[in-house]
Amino acid sequence: MLLKIEKIEICYGIIPAVRNLSLEVEEGQIVALVGANGAGKSTTLKALAGVLHPRVGKIFYKDKDITQLSAYRRVPLGIALVPEGRQLFSTLSVKENLRLGAYHSNDKEFKERLKEIYSIFPIIKERENQIAGTLSGGEQQMLSFGRAIISKPKLLLLDEPSLGLAPLIIKEVYKTINTIKMTGITIVLVEQNVKMAMHIANYMYVLEAGELTIQGEPLKLMKDENIKKAYLG
Amino acid sequence: MIKVNYSNKPNTFSGIWIPFGVGLGFLFVVLGIFNLVLDNYILHIITVIGIYIIAATSLNLTNGYTGLFSLGHTGFMLIGAYTSVLLTYKVSLRAAYNLPSLPTLLGGANYQWPFLPALLTGGVIAAIVAMIVGYPVLRLRGHYLAVASLGFMIIVTTMAKGMKSFTRGASGIQVIPHYSNLWNVYIWVAITIFVLWRILQSAPGRAMLAIRESEVSAQSQGINLMKYKLYAFVSGAFFAGIAGGLYAHFTRSIRPYEFSFSMTFFIVIMPIIGGSRNLFGPALGASLLIAMRYLLKPAEEALGVYGLVELIYAALLVSVMLWRPGGILGKESRAK
Amino acid sequence: MYGASYIYQQIFNGIVLGSIYALLALGMALVYGILGLINFAHGALITIGAFCFYFLLFKFNLPFVLAIILTISLGGFVGFLSEAIGYRKLRGGPGLSLLITSLGIYIFIENAIKLLISPQPYAFFNPPFLNRIINSFITFRVIDIFIIITTIVIMICFGLFVKRSKIGIAMRGIAESVETAGLVGINVNQVITWSFVVASAIAALTGFMWGAKYGQISYNMGFMPGVIAFVAVVIGGIGSIPGAVLGGFLIGLIQIFTVGFLPLGWSVYRDAIVFTLLIIVLLIKPMGILGRRESM
Amino acid sequence: MPVLLKIEGLSKAFGGLWAVQDYSLELPEGKVIGLIGPNGAGKTTTFNLITGMLKPNSGSIKFNDVEIIGHRPDQIASSGIARTFQLLHLYGSLTVEMNLNISYHVHLKYRFIDALFGLPEFIKEEKRMNDLVDLMLELFELKKYRNIQASTLPYGLQRKLDIARCLVAQPKLLLLDEPCCGMNNVEVEKLSSLIKDIQSKFSLTMVIVEHRVPFIMGLAEYIQVLDHGILISEGPPDKIINDPKVIEAYLGVENNAT
């Protein structure tokens, strides 16, 4: 088991966002967390990335307790996040963004990895010296992927990768997610777009108001009438 | 859960005047006893403390209650000091002291204004200047406001230095009539605290607190941000002007640079150390710091270690910021 | 009215003073960009640098270059200390607590110097080679040229550091978002410490420049230049390092012109004019000359 | 019923992207309408435009037949529009009672001299305020928390306090921005009945932004659905829930654009 969450509770100040949540992620899989706005999906992902720390419960990564480890220490362990809304350093150039993604490697290693990233995302190479804030939405999403992957993660956390993108570009993004999966990276995906998530995930967890309601393989869930209900309520 | 004592409802006629009357009576009985028992040097210190209480308490209206961090308070004190001094200064003495351009304002050669109108005029002029300066400057947020108000203080002090024909420049004005004493200083202390208390117990004070806590919320509840920021800034400036006038007529000599950064620093840290969210916090801070200064001054001179007092103040300030952000009277209120 | 040579002379003097302000503003802008802190304590580093150099060179008779290097190192170390003791714990708290603490640190350092060294100003002697006067179209001393050249060199190095080095890029990243920086794996504390060290080291060097240029150092010499450096940051545009440099030169020129071209009585107002300018700029162009618009 | 709020052709762009586009609404007095839509659909932006926190690029907002675009937020609030915030903006370090007192601000007309000397005008108005605040504390079951710092209240109570202080302002129009954000289902049900109660008691006019569909279905008589800043559907709840466009916006059914 690559990742294991045991009964965590997370609060924003005193706002409880996630309660009593347990889940497991096996190596090489894509696991999707779905649910309505404010159901606690992104919060869970932030706890995995180390931005938030659960008040109760534990998170194990490769059997090691990482619950209280801060975000920047998790990256060298192989956990990388593609944040919601991309959160690029919009005043820095594309290359500089990638440089910060590979903060834990030296200049030489960075150059090698840069080549790998450019081969996966040729569009980024063309924009190498452009300021990140001036890229189109799709390009920004690709750069955001690139910035995460350049740190050589084993576990990639994707927070709403389709948010705010046009349907055609969403398809591109999902193709890329598949490509990333092929390289052997395990993925935890948070998505509002349930249909998209269902197509790609090996396993799904449905959250509602901070609590886990339904889980299972997408093919089974697709037949479940409750899912549709869970969405509109 | 933290309990805050705010529920005492003084919003009735007797609820206002009984506590004030009792407090005032107590204050003056204590002062009366002091006056009989203590020697002149200590009474002198107590009077100085009173002047700083007025300055620190009025500064706290902006810095503590409204959340506008101003470093310009001594600028208003300077304005109040010079205005009241120039009005009480004997016309006959003006020429002798090389202040020729001064208008002889009312009366003949031996005329001089009585103290109270001169003092009030000083406060009013400080308030008017605050109104003019405040309108543009208060649009700025936290840090910018701090630097802009500091800039205002520097502008005022350099002007006091530059306008020689009014102020005698850097050499300052001496032989100012000795009008301030224990009694009138503490009457003004009582007035300052009373007025501030009333402000805080009514709509304007609540608006100021709201602005400190959340401008977004305050605005969406019908509070005109600029109006109440100005309200706090201008009332603070008025009392700063009064404090300046009392100060000048107590020390009997003023120079522009007395009112510059180190005095600003003293006054700014008084509420922070005493507790900026309590009506009496600034007074406590003022008493503590001034008493400490007079206690340590002999040591400083004997040992030849100048700067010791400020050094201790600064260390105290940093310690308070790190370990007791609410000040001495503040309850630990760092809830997030 | 004024001869060409007089005008050039004033411009030259303005550039020398502006260089010092620009160097100070550089460090101030770096720290402000990252922490949103107006670091009043920045001015204290000028004083520390000046006295440190003075003692190393004249009391301990160290060689000039070594004295400079030690001065810069001490500045960096004090920057490191002030961040570790004063600011780290307060980060993320109410914005003003950092500002108030920096005031406290400034007053602490200023009075520590007053107490330990002297409340009286010291005359600052230059090493003789810096004092040589060169008379050509305009008159200047070697120290002036030294200041200008050092400033240019530091700016280039600083620019390269911020533009190219990993830590430099991280500084800019943190200035944009501390949270995202942590997410991508940057050790935020370490980078913030570095920015204090760099800014303080440069400020300590300007202390030497100030002393060498004006021939007098005192415990409170750093306050005004420190505050003016921040004014330069604001006038140039918060968040823009080139803006801060531009602001520094602009203020240097304005101050020299105030003294050089206005009637005699006006020179008293040279600091007042700087702040009047600040208030005007804040009102007309709140983001400064080269500043970006801050997002809501 | 007379129209209280009339919005026409309201549009707002951020850096070239339309956050709200050509939004219209006619809200009669005493009615409750719901505004739903996915993340980033422009719901909160609409509130910010109505309350004057943002200036629209075009359009008109008439409140009580008065055009309010260009008015300051505090002027709009004084004219009788109150709102809550999705991310709470309570006066955290002040007491619960003080939070409520402050909201009465627009109704206090006394001069400072009245407050200074405790003159009758001051005492009368402050008493009115205290009575109203007492009533709200009672109604929202906050009485025992009266002297407690707002930021130390449990979250559900903070939400309640936020609504309570809006009512202290006695608004003609109340805008609720995701009132059940962060609550569990039991708390949501309680809140729902509380709001229903209040609504009937004060016959309030309300606009509620919320993504919990059952909650909004139970409260609103009329629902508008926003997606990417555009009004994609509106009507009574039973019509909305079966609208394919709405299901698509929420479930993200694949677009057949290719």
Side-chain angles (χ1 to χ4, degrees):
Chain A
M1 203 63 55
L2 186 67
L3 182 77
K4 198 171 167 191
I5 297 182
E6 273 182 11
K7 294 187 175 168
I8 54 167
E9 179 176 318
I10 311 166
C11 299
Y12 285 106
I14 55 160
I15 309 174
V18 169
R19 288 178 247 221
N20 196 22
L21 176 76
S22 299
L23 56 82
E24 292 179 349
V25 178
E26 262 179 74
E27 206 156 348
Q29 283 199 333
I30 296 186
V31 170
L33 295 177
V34 298
N37 264 352
K41 305 162 301 205
S42 290
T43 309
T44 308
L45 213 61
K46 280 182 180 157
L48 293 179
V51 187
L52 296 171
H53 300 282
R55 204 162 56 173
V56 184
K58 290 217 169 347
I59 301 173
F60 294 97
Y61 170 75
K62 290 182 175 171
D63 295 328
K64 194 182 155 214
D65 184 354
I66 58 163
T67 317
Q68 299 302 330
L69 207 63
S70 40
Y72 78 92
R73 287 179 192 276
R74 293 189 194 195
V75 179
L77 294 180
I79 302 177
L81 172 73
V82 178
E84 183 182 333
R86 300 172 281 278
Q87 289 189 25
L88 295 172
F89 297 108
S90 60
T91 56
L92 306 191
S93 73
V94 168
K95 202 172 168 185
E96 285 167 343
N97 268 281
L98 293 170
R99 184 70 193 89
L100 292 184
Y103 191 73
H104 288 273
S105 42
N106 61 33
D107 285 347
K108 200 174 141 237
E109 288 166 336
F110 169 65
K111 267 185 197 138
E112 285 164 19
R113 293 206 188 152
L114 196 60
K115 270 184 210 149
E116 292 169 30
I117 296 299
Y118 284 161
S119 68
I120 306 176
F121 307 103
I123 185 94
I124 297 184
K125 186 172 188 188
E126 287 168 33
R127 304 258 184 261
E128 195 177 58
N129 293 315
Q130 201 168 321
I131 298 299
T134 62
L135 299 180
S136 72
E139 289 164 348
Q140 288 194 6
Q141 189 62 61
M142 295 300 162
L143 176 56
S144 183
F145 280 140
R147 189 181 64 182
I149 294 167
I150 202 167
S151 68
K152 282 218 160 156
K154 296 199 174 52
L155 176 65
L156 187 66
L157 312 169
L158 303 179
D159 200 352
E160 308 249 7
S162 65
L163 192 76
L165 298 178
L168 266 178
I169 296 174
I170 295 181
K171 277 195 171 166
E172 280 293 308
V173 167
Y174 271 82
K175 256 186 226 161
T176 314
I177 296 177
N178 239 331
T179 324
I180 294 170
K181 187 196 172 188
M182 295 305 174
T183 62
I185 297 175
T186 312
I187 294 172
V188 176
L189 169 71
V190 156
E191 209 18 298
Q192 257 185 34
N193 192 328
V194 185
K195 264 264 166 80
M196 289 307 287
M198 279 183 165
H199 279 304
I200 199 168
N202 301 90
Y203 202 81
M204 263 172 84
Y205 291 92
V206 182
L207 290 179
E208 194 181 321
E211 282 162 62
L212 198 59
T213 51
I214 310 166
Q215 55 173 297
E217 281 161 24
L219 282 175
K220 282 183 195 157
L221 294 185
M222 228 178 264
K223 291 166 195 150
D224 194 334
E225 264 305 305
N226 283 331
I227 285 283
K228 202 171 168 183
K229 238 179 125 191
Y231 270 85
L232 279 171
Chain B
M1 281 186 200
I2 299 166
K3 273 213 142 197
V4 182
N5 307 318
Y6 236 122
S7 67
N8 51 333
K9 279 201 187 121
N11 289 330
T12 56
F13 190 76
S14 54
I16 293 167
W17 291 105
I18 290 173
F20 179 67
V22 170
L24 193 70
F26 180 72
L27 174 71
F28 277 86
V29 167
V30 168
L31 287 175
I33 295 170
F34 280 179
N35 200 22
L36 290 174
V37 180
L38 300 172
D39 65 37
N40 277 340
Y41 180 63
I42 298 186
L43 289 175
H44 172 98
I45 297 172
I46 293 175
T47 316
V48 174
I49 287 174
I51 294 171
Y52 277 97
I53 289 177
I54 300 170
T57 308
S58 58
L59 174 65
N60 200 37
L61 198 55
T62 47
N63 290 27
Y65 289 109
T66 322
L68 301 166
F69 195 74
S70 161
L71 291 173
H73 211 54
T74 52
F76 298 117
M77 287 176 71
L78 183 148
I79 292 171
Y82 272 89
T83 309
S84 59
V85 164
L86 295 177
L87 291 174
T88 56
Y89 217 67
K90 271 194 183 157
V91 176
S92 60
L93 276 176
R94 287 178 191 167
Y97 276 87
N98 193 18
L99 293 167
S101 309
L102 218 52
T104 47
L105 279 167
L106 306 171
N110 279 316
Y111 191 79
Q112 62 192 97
W113 278 43
F115 186 42
L116 186 63
L119 193 64
L120 286 174
T121 311
V124 168
I125 301 240
I128 291 171
V129 173
M131 187 97 75
I132 296 165
V133 173
Y135 195 73
V137 163
L138 291 175
R139 293 196 311 188
L140 308 170
R141 284 175 178 272
H143 292 100
Y144 291 109
L145 177 65
V147 173
S149 58
L150 178 71
F152 163 75
M153 184 269 285
I154 289 170
I155 293 170
V156 171
T157 46
T158 46
M159 277 172 74
K161 194 183 164 199
M163 295 163 67
K164 287 205 174 86
S165 52
F166 285 92
T167 62
R168 298 190 66 223
S171 48
I173 302 176
Q174 284 81 37
V175 208
I176 299 164
H178 190 196
Y179 286 141
S180 307
N181 56 41
L182 186 67
W183 304 107
N184 56 20
V185 164
Y186 275 88
I187 288 172
W188 275 106
V189 169
I191 294 174
T192 310
I193 291 183
F194 177 70
V195 171
L196 251 67
W197 178 54
R198 294 316 306 148
I199 289 179
L200 293 172
Q201 290 290 342
S202 59
R206 288 194 288 262
M208 289 169 199
L209 291 175
I211 291 172
R212 178 188 77 196
E213 295 289 316
S214 162
E215 289 200 1
V216 172
S217 234
Q219 241 184 340
S220 74
Q221 297 191 332
I223 291 166
N224 182 340
L225 300 182
M226 182 47 91
K227 179 174 162 192
Y228 288 101
K229 284 179 179 180
L230 265 180
Y231 201 128
F233 196 60
V234 171
S235 340
F238 172 78
F239 286 109
I242 298 288
L246 289 168
Y247 178 88
H249 290 87
F250 185 72
T251 61
R252 307 194 59 202
S253 83
I254 46 171
R255 276 169 297 123
Y257 287 124
E258 249 169 285
F259 297 95
S260 71
F261 186 68
S262 69
M263 192 196 258
T264 303
F265 180 71
F266 286 161
I267 297 173
V268 165
I269 70 175
M270 282 166 185
I272 295 171
I273 286 177
S276 60
R277 299 194 168 185
N278 187 300
L279 190 57
F280 296 102
L284 176 70
S287 317
L288 211 66
L289 293 186
I290 299 295
M292 202 151 82
R293 186 159 84 181
Y294 278 97
L295 274 175
L296 291 171
K297 222 180 197 171
E300 205 181 60
E301 275 161 17
L303 297 170
V305 282
Y306 298 97
L308 182 68
V309 177
E310 286 85 351
L311 196 73
I312 293 173
Y313 283 5
L316 200 61
L317 174 70
V318 175
S319 322
V320 164
M321 291 313 296
L322 289 174
W323 291 293
R324 205 179 162 82
I328 295 171
L329 289 185
K331 292 164 191 79
E332 190 62 30
S333 60
R334 258 204 170 170
K336 286 204 173 161
Chain C
M1 172 110 164
Y2 297 109
S5 143
Y6 183 79
I7 293 170
Y8 287 127
Q9 181 77 52
Q10 296 304 323
I11 292 175
F12 179 81
N13 293 347
I15 288 174
V16 175
L17 181 60
S19 300
I20 298 177
Y21 287 149
L23 282 183
L24 284 169
L26 208 69
M28 206 104 183
L30 185 68
V31 169
Y32 189 89
I34 289 178
L35 286 188
L37 162 69
I38 298 177
N39 189 9
F40 278 99
H42 203 64
L45 266 306
I46 304 169
T47 325
I48 289 179
F51 277 97
C52 173
F53 181 84
Y54 177 88
F55 281 106
L56 291 177
L57 195 74
F58 301 111
K59 300 284 162 178
F60 301 115
N61 293 314
L62 295 185
F64 177 75
V65 176
L66 188 60
I68 290 271
I69 290 172
L70 286 177
T71 301
I72 293 174
S73 317
L74 179 72
F77 181 66
V78 173
F80 164 77
L81 275 187
S82 66
E83 199 273 336
I85 297 171
Y87 306 126
R88 181 164 297 181
K89 195 178 162 221
L90 295 171
R91 247 159 45 203
L96 282 174
S97 55
L98 278 172
L99 177 89
I100 294 167
T101 307
S102 83
L103 268 178
I105 293 179
Y106 172 79
I107 295 285
F108 187 88
I109 296 177
E110 177 182 292
N111 286 287
I113 292 171
K114 185 177 176 186
L115 191 145
L116 295 173
I117 301 172
S118 166
Q120 300 305 326
Y122 276 26
F124 191 94
F125 308 103
N126 274 328
F129 73 92
L130 286 176
N131 265 340
R132 183 145 31 97
I133 293 173
I134 296 164
N135 257 315
S136 64
F137 186 56
I138 53 176
T139 307
F140 56 89
R141 290 184 298 161
V142 175
I143 179 69
D144 297 327
I145 295 300
F146 177 85
I147 290 173
I148 292 176
I149 290 175
T150 316
T151 303
I152 293 169
V153 171
I154 289 177
M155 275 174 188
I156 291 170
C157 293
F158 184 84
L160 286 175
F161 170 70
V162 169
K163 191 80 198 156
R164 296 283 162 78
S165 77
K166 190 171 83 174
I167 290 182
I169 298 172
M171 284 174 183
R172 285 185 287 142
I174 293 175
E176 207 178 311
S177 162
V178 174
E179 190 194 319
T180 314
L183 268 182
V184 303
I186 298 170
N187 184 343
V188 174
N189 280 339
Q190 190 192 48
V191 176
I192 290 178
T193 304
W194 268 108
S195 52
F196 268 92
V197 169
V198 170
S200 306
I202 297 176
L205 180 66
T206 60
F208 153 71
M209 292 177 175
W210 195 273
K213 171 81 182 148
Y214 295 103
Q216 198 188 55
I217 58 177
S218 65
Y219 72 93
N220 61 359
M221 63 183 281
F223 182 70
M224 222 30 192
V227 177
I228 285 180
F230 185 73
V231 176
V233 173
V234 176
I235 289 180
I238 294 268
S240 157
I241 288 174
V245 170
L246 177 74
F249 279 112
L250 204 64
I251 293 180
L253 285 167
I254 289 170
Q255 286 206 331
I256 294 291
F257 288 179
T258 312
V259 180
F261 292 110
L262 292 175
L264 206 59
W266 282 77
S267 57
V268 189
Y269 297 110
R270 58 182 234 169
D271 291 335
I273 286 172
V274 170
F275 285 100
T276 315
L277 184 75
L278 167 77
I279 292 172
I280 293 170
V281 167
L282 283 175
L283 292 176
I284 297 172
K285 209 166 182 307
M287 293 303 137
I289 300 171
L290 296 182
R292 307 186 284 269
R293 199 168 183 80
E294 276 174 286
S295 54
M296 324 197 1
Chain D
M1 277 285 171
V3 175
L4 185 66
L5 181 72
K6 190 173 179 181
I7 302 176
E8 278 175 313
L10 192 67
S11 298
K12 173 74 188 173
F14 293 112
L17 280 172
W18 291 102
V20 173
Q21 209 173 345
D22 202 20
Y23 172 80
S24 297
L25 168 69
E26 212 165 283
L27 180 60
E29 223 164 272
K31 227 176 175 187
V32 179
I33 84 142
L35 196 55
I36 64 174
N39 251 354
K43 298 163 298 187
T44 301
T45 308
T46 310
F47 273 15
N48 287 340
L49 291 169
I50 297 173
T51 53
M53 303 267 181
L54 292 172
K55 299 264 167 292
N57 296 61
S58 60
S60 118
I61 305 174
K62 284 206 170 96
F63 181 63
N64 265 339
D65 286 328
V66 179
E67 179 63 59
I68 57 170
I69 286 176
H71 290 199
R72 281 196 318 269
D74 59 277
Q75 293 170 320
I76 293 173
S78 318
S79 70
I81 300 181
R83 74 172 286 188
T84 68
F85 293 90
Q86 186 187 350
L87 294 169
L88 287 165
H89 286 284
L90 292 174
Y91 305 122
S93 67
L94 305 181
T95 61
V96 168
E97 186 181 16
M98 194 55 128
N99 269 274
L100 296 173
N101 285 346
I102 289 171
S103 307
Y104 194 70
H105 184 85
V106 294
H107 302 290
L108 294 171
K109 307 278 186 235
Y110 55 73
R111 298 156 302 162
F112 180 60
I113 197 101
D114 298 322
L116 190 63
F117 298 113
L119 300 182
E121 193 63 19
F122 169 77
I123 290 163
K124 193 179 84 195
E125 288 186 20
E126 290 273 314
K127 183 160 185 330
R128 242 186 247 156
M129 173 185 83
N130 288 331
D131 291 347
L132 183 62
V133 167
D134 281 345
L135 176 72
M136 287 304 158
L137 287 170
E138 185 92 36
L139 217 58
F140 283 79
E141 294 164 338
L142 287 167
K143 220 161 193 168
K144 62 179 167 187
Y145 303 105
R146 165 179 240 144
N147 294 320
I148 283 173
Q149 252 191 338
S151 63
T152 60
L153 284 179
Y155 181 64
L157 293 180
Q158 292 199 12
R159 283 265 165 225
K160 267 176 149 181
L161 175 60
D162 198 17
I163 299 172
R165 68 174 189 171
C166 280
L167 293 180
V168 171
Q170 299 176 304
K172 297 189 190 86
L173 170 65
L174 180 58
L175 310 174
L176 300 180
D177 195 351
E178 304 216 6
C180 11
C181 171
M183 290 184 171
N184 64 26
N185 289 346
V186 182
E187 290 167 326
V188 169
E189 263 165 47
K190 271 192 189 163
L191 185 70
S192 171
S193 63
L194 179 66
I195 294 180
K196 257 184 218 159
D197 240 32
I198 294 160
Q199 204 274 333
S200 60
K201 202 172 236 153
F202 300 97
S203 61
L204 277 171
T205 317
M206 287 200 271
V207 182
I208 306 177
V209 159
E210 187 47 71
H211 58 259
R212 299 217 193 172
V213 179
F215 175 82
I216 209 128
M217 295 292 169
L219 280 175
E221 305 147 57
Y222 192 84
I223 289 175
Q224 291 188 319
V225 187
L226 280 178
D227 190 24
H228 289 101
I230 299 167
L231 209 51
I232 55 169
S233 175
E234 58 184 310
D238 51 334
K239 184 190 149 210
I240 292 297
I241 199 153
N242 294 317
D243 187 334
K245 269 185 174 167
V246 177
I247 296 170
E248 185 197 304
Y250 261 89
L251 276 172
V253 176
E254 235 177 302
N255 214 317
N256 295 331
T258 46

